[in-house]
Amino acid sequence: MNDRMTERRIKVAVLVSGGGTNLRALIDFERSGGMPSAEISLVVSDNAGAYALKRAEAAGIKTAVIPKKGLPAGEFCRLLSDCLDENGVELIVLAGFLTILDGEFTKKYEDRIINVHPSLIPSFCGKGFYGLKVHEAALSRGVRVTGATVHFVNEIPDGGRIIAQKAVAVLPDDTPETLQRRVMEQAEWIILPEAVETVAHSILGGGK
């Protein structure tokens, strides 16, 4: 038996807003043994109707909902921080999470928040670039190659240090929907789980 499996694992919270396809990739990767340094212990959503919550529940993962409607940004972040602290969370993963986290929150969890973005940063990123909008912009610009990026989160949208990137070809007959699917399958679902393990392993003192 691998001795690392008996060691402490970093508690990970995954923050979601929608369907949770990246969450599913993370759960599958953990169950396959690819995440010996981390465990997904909590899934938090800003949307009570997010299907990602059902995915988490089906996997036996604790869930929490913090509705953002009507809340000032600072208050939402305070409630989220309290929830994470109460659950002993050490690493935060944004997986299709659409609420912008304020500077106070990102500073508190510096180098402990990672996000996956569906482009090769610095292209098609920053405020207003999310979901299909990213792929629409890529096709409109006529790029031949796009991809995904996993990066640390700071107070600037998509502005944190890059952890991993993977390129994906843009095909002549692509639509935003077909391109989005290919980027998820060929990039996001691969590099995000790997990045979680890399960062968790580093937090445990296991390497760079």
Side-chain angles (χ1 to χ4, degrees):
M1 180 181 293
N2 189 334
D3 290 340
R4 290 188 63 198
M5 297 303 291
T6 65
E7 295 177 359
R8 187 177 80 83
R9 299 169 72 196
I10 294 296
K11 287 188 175 182
V12 176
V14 183
L15 276 51
V16 297
S17 295
T21 53
N22 280 317
L23 171 63
R24 184 185 64 191
L26 288 164
I27 292 170
D28 289 347
F29 191 68
E30 180 181 1
R31 288 182 168 177
S32 73
M35 211 180 285
S37 303
E39 61 174 324
I40 303 169
S41 61
L42 180 68
V43 172
V44 184
S45 182
D46 55 3
N47 170 22
Y51 186 71
L53 293 170
K54 295 186 183 299
R55 293 187 192 273
E57 290 163 2
I61 301 169
K62 184 178 180 179
T63 63
V65 177
I66 305 175
K68 65 179 177 180
K69 188 174 181 180
L71 281 180
E75 179 63 17
F76 175 87
C77 287
R78 280 192 292 274
L79 291 172
L80 175 59
S81 179
D82 288 345
C83 177
L84 298 174
D85 290 349
E86 286 167 8
N87 286 277
V89 169
E90 300 165 275
L91 178 60
I92 303 160
V93 180
L94 310 186
F97 187 64
L98 300 181
T99 297
I100 300 296
L101 302 170
D102 65 25
E104 183 177 345
F105 184 94
T106 57
K107 186 166 183 59
K108 176 180 177 179
Y109 297 101
E110 187 174 2
D111 291 340
R112 296 295 182 99
I113 313 172
I114 67 176
N115 178 54
V116 61
H117 182 76
S119 76
L120 296 175
I121 291 175
S123 297
F124 313 115
C125 66
K127 189 173 181 180
F129 283 101
Y130 61 89
L132 281 176
K133 295 179 183 295
V134 177
H135 306 293
E136 289 168 352
L139 292 174
S140 176
R141 189 65 182 269
V143 298
R144 298 288 192 269
V145 176
T146 186
T149 303
V150 179
H151 62 93
F152 286 109
V153 175
N154 60 17
E155 71 280 5
I156 303 169
D158 300 323
R161 179 163 49 90
I162 289 172
I163 301 167
Q165 291 185 305
K166 194 171 191 303
V168 174
V170 178
L171 303 182
D173 59 349
D174 263 330
T175 65
E177 291 78 10
T178 61
L179 185 56
Q180 179 184 55
R181 184 72 186 183
R182 189 179 314 107
V183 169
M184 287 191 295
E185 291 177 346
Q186 296 184 10
E188 293 180 50
W189 296 349
I190 296 170
I191 63 174
L192 179 60
E194 290 176 348
V196 171
E197 169 57 23
T198 297
V199 174
H201 186 51
S202 178
I203 292 171
L204 289 172
K208 61 184 180 179

